[in-house]
Amino acid sequence: LDHAVVVQFMRVVSIYPNGVSVRLSTREAGVVVGQHRGLPGRPVVRLLEREGDDSIGSREIDLAKENTVFIEQVMG
């Protein structure tokens, strides 16, 4: 395939679309909630965390900034 066409295609189509569940290299599970135009393989992922006996909190990890964390699996 033409390299320029592939690059343009990847700018338009998300590898990990918003709403897809993923497992990270840290063994944490989360949901993709944001994209970076120039970095389709490095989305923003929201992780759910247990904060106490009955409460659940969340935090977001931006994989474009956390360059040692990777998506290992897309969960069905």
Side-chain angles (χ1 to χ4, degrees):
L1 295 173
D2 185 281
H3 178 71
V5 172
V6 172
V7 169
Q8 290 300 321
F9 179 78
M10 290 182 66
R11 287 186 181 170
V12 175
V13 177
S14 298
I15 296 172
Y16 305 106
N18 289 356
V20 71
S21 297
V22 295
R23 180 167 311 281
L24 302 178
S25 57
T26 59
R27 300 292 183 220
E28 296 170 292
V31 176
V32 174
V33 295
Q35 305 292 323
H36 294 285
R37 273 203 171 273
L39 300 169
R42 308 296 291 165
V44 178
V45 178
R46 181 171 295 144
L47 306 171
L48 296 178
E49 300 175 322
R50 185 170 296 249
E51 292 184 336
D53 292 338
D54 294 328
S55 64
I56 296 176
S58 68
R59 69 180 172 97
E60 292 184 359
I61 182 168
D62 186 343
L63 298 183
K65 296 178 182 174
E66 298 290 333
N67 56 8
T68 60
V69 179
F70 300 92
I71 292 176
E72 287 192 338
Q73 179 182 9
V74 174
M75 299 165 26

